[in-house]
Amino acid sequence: MKRALLLFFTPALLQAAVAQWTVPSTVVLNGASAEERRVTGLAGPTGNDHGANLHADRYRTNAMATAQGQDQLTTALHPALDAYRPGLRLTILPEAANNGDATLNVDGLGAMAIRKNIDEPLDSADLRPGVPTDLIFDGVVFQVTNQLHPACPSGFAPIGREACVELVPHEQRTWFSSANDCGQRGHRLCSFAEFMQACRMPGGILPSIVDYEWVDEAANHSNYAKLMGNSDLLGINCEAGSLRIPTGFARYRCCSDR
């Protein structure tokens, strides 16, 4: 194995020399101080059999690269790969959001499909510009191993890939006060569509609905705001709703963008 060592001579020489050594056995650093037990000047690896310095290892600079394209991505590693092998790990930095199902071609070795959750094609914008995506090659496809979308805030649950919904409604306020409270906490009132989706999806918010709730919907009316989640005839119901002047009182919950 080749190792680059920075050799210090006696103080009288006042200089350092760099040498390339081929070491046939283990190198033991047993100097009296920590300063004497270290290897310095080790550059980044340029070959597949070269040693890596701490920076290259910590930041995976030899396994991270920018990926060009949207759905047919290409990238190049340094040092370059000689073949795809099961267990290969790398991180790509997309230059653009993908439109949908995507492939990755590394060092011209051929385009391989990218999959999430074992066998699911990517959705649009699963890959985001400048956001690292960790991949592992399983012998057939590149599997995404990191979370593709930010987690929901505490007390929220995801509504698909774009939004989160608050799990428990707040006590009654006016529509204006409800919208203001959500905004001050960095969220917003749920839209009509988001409330419907959150209510009807498995494990959704239906069990937590106890009365009418404000949603951010004008309901095609100039004087009323929209309520959802209850009906004077049907009771608690995902599709039920009503209208109320925005200065009236009702429960509310917030939604948040992912």
Side-chain angles (χ1 to χ4, degrees):
M1 178 178 64
K2 294 183 179 180
R3 298 172 182 270
L5 301 177
L6 184 62
L7 305 178
F8 291 91
F9 292 90
T10 60
L13 296 177
L14 298 178
Q15 61 181 351
V18 177
Q20 186 77 24
W21 284 3
T22 299
V23 183
S25 60
T26 303
V27 175
V28 179
L29 304 179
N30 56 5
S33 68
E35 293 296 315
E36 296 173 334
R37 296 191 299 273
R38 63 175 184 162
V39 176
T40 62
L42 187 62
T46 57
N48 290 325
D49 60 347
H50 291 185
N53 60 29
L54 179 61
H55 177 86
D57 181 67
R58 177 176 292 158
Y59 294 101
R60 305 184 70 235
T61 56
N62 59 323
M64 178 182 291
T66 299
Q68 294 82 30
Q70 285 188 291
D71 297 328
Q72 289 79 45
L73 288 85
T74 60
T75 192
L77 299 180
H78 300 284
L81 292 178
D82 56 4
Y84 292 130
R85 293 183 177 87
L88 166 69
R89 293 180 180 274
L90 57 91
T91 300
I92 59 172
L93 297 172
E95 287 189 335
N98 65 305
N99 294 315
D101 195 5
T103 61
L104 176 65
N105 189 336
V106 183
D107 293 326
L109 295 175
M112 296 292 175
I114 302 174
R115 292 290 180 262
K116 61 179 181 179
N117 302 325
I118 301 178
D119 58 0
E120 294 182 15
L122 299 186
D123 292 320
S124 61
D126 268 343
L127 303 179
R128 290 172 291 159
V131 177
T133 300
D134 296 328
L135 304 171
I136 183 171
F137 186 64
D138 66 4
V140 179
V141 300
F142 282 108
Q143 297 282 354
V144 177
T145 61
N146 64 318
Q147 183 170 280
L148 290 175
H149 297 282
C152 292
S154 177
F156 286 70
I159 317 170
R161 19 179 239 100
E162 296 183 350
C164 305
V165 63
E166 206 162 15
L167 293 171
V168 179
H170 297 277
E171 290 302 315
Q172 295 185 350
R173 291 191 180 193
T174 68
W175 184 94
F176 299 107
S177 180
S178 301
N180 184 62
D181 178 64
C182 289
Q184 287 185 338
R185 293 191 289 121
H187 311 307
R188 53 181 172 72
L189 276 181
C190 298
S191 69
F192 172 84
E194 287 171 337
F195 186 94
M196 286 280 291
Q197 184 177 359
C199 184
R200 299 187 65 179
M201 69 183 187
I205 63 173
L206 180 59
S208 68
I209 300 174
V210 295
D211 202 346
Y212 289 106
E213 296 184 21
W214 293 120
V215 294
D216 193 6
E217 171 67 47
N220 296 321
H221 203 287
S222 58
N223 297 319
Y224 290 92
K226 183 67 175 173
L227 296 164
M228 288 297 295
N230 196 10
S231 167
D232 294 335
L233 297 176
L234 302 176
I236 303 301
N237 191 296
C238 291
E239 291 77 19
S242 184
L243 301 174
R244 187 174 297 177
I245 57 172
T247 53
F249 286 80
R251 287 179 170 80
Y252 67 98
R253 68 181 76 218
C254 306
C255 280
S256 176
D257 295 327
R258 298 183 74 179

